[in-house]
Amino acid sequence: AKFHGFELRSETGAAPQGVRRRDAVLRVAGSDLGLPHSSLHYQIKPTCYQTMLARLALLPALAAAACAGKQVRVGTFGDTNPEALVVMSDWLNTNKVANECWTFYRQPSGGLSIAKLDSGDLDMALLGSTPYAAAAARRGRLKAVSVAHLKGSSQALVTRARFNEPKDLAPNGTAKATIATPRTSTTHYIALAVIANARMDLTDVNLVFMSPNEIMAAWDAGTIDGACAWGTAMQHMLNNPWGGSAAADDKGRQMVSASTVAEWDYRTGNVVAASDDFIANHADLVEYLVAAFERTRHDYRINSLTSDKWADDSDYNEVVARFATLSDTPTSQEKTDTYELLARFEYLSVEDQLKADKIDLPKMTQDSAYFFYEQKVLAEDPSGADQAPYYVANFDKTYLNSVKSAGLSLLSEAAWETVNAPIQEEAAGDGDKCPTAVTYTVTTSGTTFNDGSSEPYAYAADADCEWKFMAGNYVNIAIDKLMSEQPDDGLEIYDKDGDLLAAFTGRWDPNDLPDIRSSDEATVKWTTNSYDENAIGYLEDVGFQATSSSTVSAPSNCSPGESGASCEYAYCLGVVDEASATLANTIRSQAAGTSAYAPNSRCGWRITSTTAHVELKFTELAIENGFDFVKIYEGATAPTGFSLTAPAAEPKLLYAATGSTLPPKLVFAAPVFVTFESDGLGNTAVGATGDGGFAIEHKVAAKPADCAGDWTSPVANCALDHCTGDAVRAGVHSHGSFSSSSGKSAADATDYLAKTTCRWFFEVPDGGLAGLSFRAPVWDVEASGTLTSTTDAVEIYQQGDDGAPSGDAVATLKGGDDPADWDFDFSATSGKFVAVFASDLNNPVPKKGFDLVYAGKYGSADAGANGGFCLCDFGGNCAWPCDEEAPACGGTCHVPTSKDEAEIDLGLLYGLVFGLFVPLLCVIGLAFARYRRKIQGKLKGERAELKKFKDSIVGMRVVTKAVAPAALPPPPGTARWYWQESAPRLHTHANLKPPHWVPYDASTSAALEESFQKGWETILIGTAPRQYKIYPRRMKQVNEATGFERELLREATAARQAADVESGAPRPPDVDPDEPCMVLRVGSIVQIARQREDGWAFGSLTMEAPVTQPGL
């Protein structure tokens, strides 16, 4: 290990625990011992070794000394890549630019790395191309500076051998398969691509998120059926059977690799990224790392093909194997695996990284981001030509151009072949785990406490430690050191009532951390997860240390958005009690004028009122959509994460806000608990101007007028136009209705909110209950498509004993379903149900939502029978059958019976019997009039039914006049040619021939048809770098630069005779000349998708008219 100028290596015996080295020599730089400065090393005899260790142990100040220059933190993975030589040889620390110190931290996934880059915990990092795309789309403060590699076959979906193809993972009489992957990683992207390409959606597979280490453990335990993984995790699944099973169909099998997915145009790779701050202040160090990494890849590209320097038994291969396995002595199998895994990647030269025809990283990034948007990983739409320049600018080629100019040499120094870098690990045993349930009475002199680890060791994994400090007045907590892995490892401080005072995670400069002060007592918790970043290189002093002391000074009364004992922290922290008054008070995410709120914020406000209600008014809202949330809960109880002990029951969620759309004034029953939580990335709303964050004014409010009808409204003044939180309908009702809109029909809505959860609690009679029926006057909910996947649905659960949803859903209503089919039969335990609507991250196309009507089903009858009902004024006279013995709808909509016929007056009957002619005529006239009214009523109902049917056929038109465009492409007697577009790019074309064919322009199509007719073998189209070789007879298009193949389609059209058709106006100039136009024949029915103001429309043929004019 390095200790302030000393570099300790052990020549004989074991190395110090927690420090790994391949060989062992004590090297001391001459200048640090007053010896002549020299590049030579002084070797200490073995007899002096233990003495030196003992003396170093007496110098804790030296051991804990911080880097004298810039501390550079770089995120890596456990990948088997050539740049592992840079890390393990400690080359950057022995060949410095100045006096900087280099430390490499192994990351569980790129999704966590991008947050650490954005928040400053890392300066540079190797990232998967898709985590980088997610960071770019979320406007993370980082840029790509080089392309590390393309994935090739280095990543894959590995499953139990019993699954032959992706569709086997979907339920087919058995439970759906569970597939794991690290979230927002390139393998997450691959998993989604496999699901989309198999025409499945997210509901067909149980997709769970795990780290690579968790994936290996879950595979061994048999709790997952497969995973999209890389490196050692992928190899582990291939080398070890699922759950330890001996069955042949439980062996690990590679189902789909990254190279296969790339053929579908889902390309993945790794980039080297740097934070904007590091680029601005240390450009020389950015270039230095890029050059070092590129040199190792350059050597691999050359020597892996021409020499044995990278053979499986070579020193280079062993160094990479030791990096991947973190083992001093990798096994023969591990070395072989390393050799094979190295070859699975595609390493691009510096020159190729700079060529768009080799790797168009900006376009690849934007396309990947859009696919993530479609698959509900991102909330904001990253597509569009107006956003393209941003993605171009986010790839900083400065450093690649510098490396290109300087040139690269092959590796020749012996240092590359040795492991010189120390690796930080946890000490053996549990002695480093901090004590729990320790109580101190503190004094003014203070008590120091820490996580229990000591340098150079890593802090303990899976720690859950707690200290309680008591004082006669105030307890002050000063954090002297905090170096942890965000977001899971960190400190929490609570007051005597158990309310959260502060929560911190990540790597901090102690000067930026505020003191936390609490009356009488404070509890401090230190928790860590099971993952260890295993720092390599210059080992930092990690973990935490803090000092607790007593003071008579109360914490200052801070302005909104400020916190800390002296209001020194410009961001919200912990739980604050707020009392509403007649004049409005304000709560904020950060101090006014602070441009962005803090990453990993966790803040709460308990708002009370002297009246029964409180008004909340958002005056500012610009938080990252779909990732950061302001939530409002019922009552004064803090939800989990905001109190020392979890509540007996979670408080009821009333409302959640995200993004930048200001809601109206909201009135709630007092008190309420408001929370604000953010993740580690993107601390503002994408596209927002001004400062990010939020501000809410709160004040007392009078009880608003009753506005909710049958349902209780979470928002007392019913101000929202969309559902939110929990709504309860009291009593037992045979039928009812609810809506995704609030206070109006969904027919009037524009787009229901993303990331919103609404629940409706209702009860129907349980006697003989056999199921539920639903009908939807309005049903416009997002459905999964070829490229999109959604979880938007209404799910119906039975209520458990606690009133919450219990068990599996008894009914699921999904977008794209036919509301006429929603009749669900099941064995009900009671008549109490909960309907849950949870929307996902986005609606790529606006969706209005739904109006739903429900009713119980009894016996073998439909919903209308035996206490059910008929839904009047929908779908004609009656949407559901009425029971003859239990007419509903006020007697106006039911099947008449003998009891419903008009009774005939007996006196009149006697008069008729006695032959009074005139009265008889009157009676006949009256009877006819009554009959006529009845017929008119029936006709009126039928006309209403026809009108509603007509209105329900949206955009349908009947052709009354034959018409054709002025020009009908393609020309008579020719053929039109198409090329097959890949799935993630379909949205970029407006003139597709379903399902995936894009037409060539007229001139190219004519040239292809000529070559086809003349029997040519090939024809070349386009110009470099986008030049393609066409094989007309084989129906193939091949990219000359990349060799990528696409299928072709030839659609022949017979010559058409003249017809009695009126020629239409010339097509508008903004419509593509190749856009197909319809010939309208009298009697055909078309459906209009979009009507233009100039009379043209986009649509499709629904029903063809009978052919009366051959050749038309």
Side-chain angles (χ1 to χ4, degrees), residues 435-500:
T436 60
V438 175
T439 301
Y440 296 94
T441 299
V442 295
T443 64
T444 55
S445 58
T447 298
T448 299
F449 61 104
N450 57 48
D451 62 274
S453 66
S454 59
E455 197 183 19
Y457 301 110
Y459 56 79
D462 296 315
D464 186 6
C465 312
E466 187 174 304
W467 298 264
K468 182 181 288 185
F469 301 98
M470 306 179 70
N473 31 53
Y474 293 95
V475 176
N476 190 83
I477 305 294
I479 303 173
D480 308 313
K481 177 186 73 177
L482 180 57
M483 290 283 291
S484 72
E485 304 164 20
Q486 66 160 296
D488 295 332
D489 302 352
L491 282 172
E492 297 172 334
I493 305 172
Y494 298 88
D495 69 11
K496 63 180 178 181
D497 298 320
D499 280 344
L500 179 71

Side-chain angles (χ1 to χ4, degrees), residues 595-613:
S595 61
Y597 49 90
N600 301 301
S601 292
R602 200 191 322 165
C603 313
W605 295 266
R606 183 182 288 108
I607 300 177
T608 58
S609 175
T610 55
T611 61
H613 290 79

Side-chain angles (χ1 to χ4, degrees), residues 942-1005:
E942 290 175 345
R943 284 194 294 269
E945 182 179 1
L946 288 172
K947 183 178 186 304
K948 289 187 178 294
F949 173 76
K950 177 184 176 183
D951 291 344
S952 69
I953 310 301
V954 179
M956 292 295 187
R957 300 290 185 272
V958 177
V959 178
T960 60
K961 183 179 181 180
V963 84
L968 290 171
T974 65
R976 164 163 272 188
W977 286 73
Y978 302 81
W979 55 274
Q980 181 182 358
E981 178 59 285
S982 51
R985 295 281 302 155
L986 291 177
H987 68 277
T988 63
H989 303 281
N991 55 344
L992 279 173
K993 175 183 175 62
H996 47 229
W997 300 105
V998 180
Y1000 287 99
D1001 61 71
S1003 60
T1004 303
S1005 190

Side-chain angles (χ1 to χ4, degrees), residues 592-839:
T594 304
S595 61
Y597 49 90
N600 301 301
S601 292
R602 200 191 322 165
C603 313
W605 295 266
R606 183 182 288 108
I607 300 177
T608 58
S609 175
T610 55
T611 61
H613 290 79
V614 60
E615 177 187 285
L616 302 184
K617 177 185 177 184
F618 283 81
T619 57
E620 299 174 23
L621 183 63
I623 60 179
E624 192 184 7
N625 188 21
F627 294 93
D628 303 336
F629 289 89
V630 177
K631 296 182 179 180
I632 303 170
Y633 294 88
E634 179 182 78
T637 301
T640 297
F642 292 84
S643 58
L644 183 59
T645 56
E650 287 295 322
K652 185 183 298 183
L653 178 65
L654 300 174
Y655 179 70
T658 186
S660 56
T661 301
L662 286 171
K665 293 180 183 178
L666 305 175
V667 176
F668 301 95
V672 293
F673 199 101
V674 180
T675 66
F676 172 58
E677 293 183 273
S678 68
D679 65 3
L681 175 67
N683 298 316
T684 187
V686 173
T689 57
D691 295 340
F694 80 93
I696 297 176
E697 292 181 350
H698 63 90
K699 63 181 181 179
V700 298
K703 180 180 179 181
D706 184 24
C707 57
D710 286 349
W711 299 88
T712 60
S713 172
V715 182
N717 61 336
C718 301
L720 295 174
D721 60 1
H722 60 85
C723 67
T724 182
D726 293 354
V728 180
R729 190 183 188 197
V732 181
H733 306 272
S734 59
H735 62 274
S737 62
F738 55 89
S739 173
S740 58
S741 293
S742 178
K744 64 177 184 179
S745 169
D748 301 322
T750 302
D751 191 17
Y752 60 80
L753 287 188
K755 295 299 289 184
T756 293
T757 299
C758 309
R759 305 196 300 178
W760 296 268
F761 294 76
F762 62 90
E763 184 174 1
V764 298
D766 60 358
L769 181 64
L772 290 173
S773 283
F774 295 89
R775 294 296 182 269
V778 177
W779 184 255
D780 187 25
V781 174
E782 186 185 9
S784 293
T786 302
L787 297 176
T788 60
S789 191
T790 180
T791 56
D792 291 0
V794 177
E795 295 183 315
I796 314 298
Y797 297 85
Q798 294 206 263
Q799 292 185 34
D801 294 336
D802 59 355
S806 176
D808 296 329
V810 297
T812 300
L813 286 55
K814 298 171 64 175
D817 289 352
D818 181 359
D821 293 334
W822 285 340
D823 287 286
F824 300 96
D825 297 318
F826 52 86
S827 178
T829 57
S830 76
K832 296 181 178 180
F833 296 92
V834 186
V836 180
F837 174 60
S839 58

Side-chain angles (χ1 to χ4, degrees), residues 175-509:
K176 56 188 177 183
T178 297
I179 302 298
T181 188
R183 185 176 178 84
T184 323
S185 63
T186 48
T187 52
H188 184 186
Y189 183 75
I190 291 170
L192 295 175
V194 170
I195 292 170
N197 194 69
R199 300 296 189 266
M200 301 188 297
D201 65 31
L202 291 175
T203 62
D204 293 324
V205 176
N206 183 27
L207 190 65
V208 297
F209 300 115
M210 296 181 178
S211 70
N213 288 344
E214 291 170 335
I215 286 173
M216 290 188 286
W219 177 261
D220 292 342
T223 56
I224 59 174
D225 297 296
C228 276
W230 67 83
T232 53
M234 181 181 77
Q235 208 63 42
H236 178 87
M237 295 172 68
L238 293 172
N239 293 342
N240 298 278
W242 171 85
S245 170
D249 61 358
D250 281 332
K251 291 181 179 179
R253 170 182 172 272
Q254 181 174 300
M255 180 182 285
V256 181
S257 70
S259 57
T260 300
V261 172
E263 292 176 4
W264 307 337
D265 256 15
Y266 298 94
R267 291 183 92 187
T268 55
N270 267 20
V271 303
V272 177
S275 71
D276 289 348
D277 180 74
F278 193 65
I279 289 173
N281 295 295
H282 300 282
D284 56 337
L285 299 182
V286 176
E287 181 179 335
Y288 197 52
L289 181 71
V290 170
F293 278 5
E294 289 300 332
R295 188 180 174 198
T296 61
R297 297 175 197 135
H298 173 70
D299 190 274
Y300 179 82
R301 282 195 308 274
I302 302 300
N303 283 318
S304 64
L305 300 175
T306 60
S307 73
D308 59 357
K309 285 181 66 176
W310 292 89
D312 56 356
D313 59 351
S314 68
D315 288 335
Y316 283 1
N317 191 70
E318 180 172 337
V319 172
V320 177
R322 290 178 66 177
F323 171 77
T325 61
L326 290 182
S327 169
D328 289 332
T329 55
T331 65
S332 175
Q333 181 62 53
E334 287 171 337
K335 292 179 184 179
T336 299
D337 289 345
T338 298
Y339 174 76
E340 293 176 352
L341 287 169
L342 268 166
R344 292 188 179 191
F345 295 91
E346 180 184 351
Y347 305 103
L348 299 176
S349 67
V350 172
E351 291 76 13
D352 283 351
Q353 292 177 53
L354 293 168
K355 295 177 181 177
D357 61 324
K358 296 295 185 181
I359 174 73
D360 190 344
L361 183 62
K363 183 177 179 297
M364 177 176 163
T365 301
Q366 190 173 13
D367 287 349
S368 298
Y370 187 79
F371 182 69
F372 262 177
Y373 171 70
E374 289 180 313
Q375 297 297 321
K376 314 304 179 180
V377 179
L378 296 174
E380 299 288 346
D381 186 353
S383 65
D386 58 326
Q387 296 195 54
Y390 163 78
Y391 290 92
V392 172
N394 222 55
F395 181 21
D396 190 342
K397 299 180 179 179
T398 304
Y399 313 102
L400 284 173
N401 280 313
S402 295
V403 172
K404 178 183 175 182
S405 298
L408 291 170
S409 61
L410 298 176
L411 304 178
S412 57
E413 302 89 339
W416 295 106
E417 301 176 359
T418 59
V419 174
N420 297 314
I423 302 173
Q424 193 168 54
E425 294 184 302
E426 185 181 341
D430 289 330
D432 60 340
K433 283 196 176 181
C434 42
T436 60
V438 175
T439 301
Y440 296 94
T441 299
V442 295
T443 64
T444 55
S445 58
T447 298
T448 299
F449 61 104
N450 57 48
D451 62 274
S453 66
S454 59
E455 197 183 19
Y457 301 110
Y459 56 79
D462 296 315
D464 186 6
C465 312
E466 187 174 304
W467 298 264
K468 182 181 288 185
F469 301 98
M470 306 179 70
N473 31 53
Y474 293 95
V475 176
N476 190 83
I477 305 294
I479 303 173
D480 308 313
K481 177 186 73 177
L482 180 57
M483 290 283 291
S484 72
E485 304 164 20
Q486 66 160 296
D488 295 332
D489 302 352
L491 282 172
E492 297 172 334
I493 305 172
Y494 298 88
D495 69 11
K496 63 180 178 181
D497 298 320
D499 280 344
L500 179 71
L501 290 172
F504 298 106
T505 182
R507 302 182 179 99
W508 286 81
D509 180 339

